[in-house]
Amino acid sequence: MDRSEVLELSEVSKTFMGGGEPVSVLKELTWTVRRGDTIAIVGPSGIGKSTLLHVLGALDRPDRGRLLFGGRNLFDLDDAGLARIRNRHMGFVFQFHHLLPEFTALENVMMPARIAGMGIREARERAKALLDRVGLSHRLGHRVPQLSGGEQQRAALARALVMEPPFLFADEPTGNLDIENSHNVHDLLLEIHAERGCALVVVTHNMDLARMMQRQVTLMHGRIAEVCPSSLHI
Ligand code: ADP
Ligand code: MG
């Protein structure tokens, strides 16, 4: 397999120094995610799911350890270098959409492509096609506050996909949506995985979504532990 199709955390540790006791969230954690994988990260609030996803997606740096991608340790890069890798290889969807409110849906989706240096026409075409794909072709010119919660989240998904990243990460992407909109976003995530063969790593409390993934994992003593799907409760 191409080395740029594998992300590998190696002996990663991260401790937060809060007000009280230090909290060791990740402890010499080693884990590999491959293009094509679908993985649910489940478990109680505060266990470290977001921290794990952020370190895996090079959004956050650990105290120690490496993130191997394309034959190098990404944490050796400076912040600008990391941002470049994220822009080209990783898509993120969060619980809150993080779209820029003063821009339209189309402009928001174009933005990662423009940052990557893509010409305005190509960026616009790609963004339009993606907004169409997520069912928002009638909302291109709407500014973010004019979109419903479900529409905002679908626009955020389109933005995450505009650079065609091999790795797609979602942190409680439907934590803020009603059941119907949640199903819609779940279906889209799975369809997009099937169409593109990207990796899909989702932090979720939604056990229906978790069960649709090939693997379910949690954190135990700061390391990855597999979860038996039949033990997932709604
Ligand atoms: P989860 O996503 O599973 O709810 P998080 O990864 O957000 O968990 O947090 C794991 C633990 O680390 C929690 O105890 C949380 O309070 C702590 N934590 C997370 N981020 C910070 C931070 N920036 N500063 C201090 N503590 C943090
Ligand atoms: Mg979290």
Side-chain angles (χ1 to χ4, degrees):
M1 189 177 265
D2 187 324
R3 284 189 306 179
S4 68
E5 304 207 334
V6 181
L7 261 183
E8 192 178 348
L9 288 172
S10 174
E11 303 196 344
V12 162
S13 298
K14 187 160 180 83
T15 298
F16 288 109
M17 310 302 274
E21 289 284 295
V23 184
S24 286
V25 179
L26 310 177
K27 294 185 203 166
E28 297 184 350
L29 178 152
T30 293
W31 194 37
T32 301
V33 174
R34 294 181 176 79
R35 187 168 185 159
D37 286 347
T38 59
I39 303 171
I41 304 174
V42 301
S45 180
I47 203 171
K49 303 180 298 296
S50 294
T51 305
L52 170 63
L53 198 74
H54 292 180
V55 172
L56 180 66
L59 268 176
D60 205 356
R61 292 176 191 269
D63 306 324
R64 281 188 307 283
R66 295 176 294 165
L67 177 60
L68 302 169
F69 177 67
R72 61 183 167 172
N73 174 18
L74 296 186
F75 296 134
D76 286 340
L77 300 173
D78 62 13
D79 288 350
L82 269 189
R84 221 166 13 250
I85 293 283
R86 283 197 306 271
N87 175 254
R88 287 166 191 275
H89 301 280
M90 297 170 191
F92 288 90
V93 180
F94 301 95
Q95 182 171 357
F96 301 99
H97 54 78
H98 293 294
L99 297 165
L100 297 174
E102 64 273 38
F103 292 96
T104 65
L106 184 65
E107 288 164 344
N108 267 283
V109 177
M110 287 171 65
M111 211 157 292
R114 296 291 287 151
I115 288 168
M118 192 183 291
I120 196 158
R121 268 196 211 141
E122 190 185 351
R124 191 185 292 122
E125 287 317 304
R126 271 204 201 195
K128 269 187 180 168
L130 276 165
L131 283 163
D132 185 39
R133 178 67 190 80
V134 300
L136 291 177
S137 53
H138 57 311
R139 293 281 185 272
L140 302 182
H142 284 55
R143 285 179 208 286
V144 175
Q146 300 170 319
L147 302 173
S148 72
E151 289 172 341
Q152 288 169 344
Q153 211 50 336
R154 283 185 278 142
L157 176 58
R159 181 186 53 178
L161 294 170
V162 74
M163 294 302 293
E164 303 185 348
F167 295 91
L168 180 60
F169 303 107
D171 193 351
E172 303 194 28
T174 55
N176 223 17
L177 300 181
D178 61 29
I179 290 176
E180 192 183 335
N181 279 302
S182 295
H183 283 164
N184 201 330
V185 170
H186 295 166
D187 289 347
L188 274 171
L189 286 169
L190 287 160
E191 287 164 19
I192 278 156
H193 169 263
E195 287 164 16
R196 301 184 168 214
C198 54
L200 175 59
V201 185
V202 188
V203 172
T204 187
H205 290 290
N206 186 301
M207 294 309 152
D208 288 336
L209 178 61
R211 280 200 205 89
M212 287 189 255
M213 305 284 131
Q214 295 154 358
R215 294 168 60 200
Q216 296 79 23
V217 304
T218 191
L219 281 162
M220 206 168 283
H221 309 300
R223 298 193 181 173
I224 294 289
E226 301 285 332
V227 175
C228 173
S230 60
S231 72
L232 294 174
H233 305 291
I234 293 178

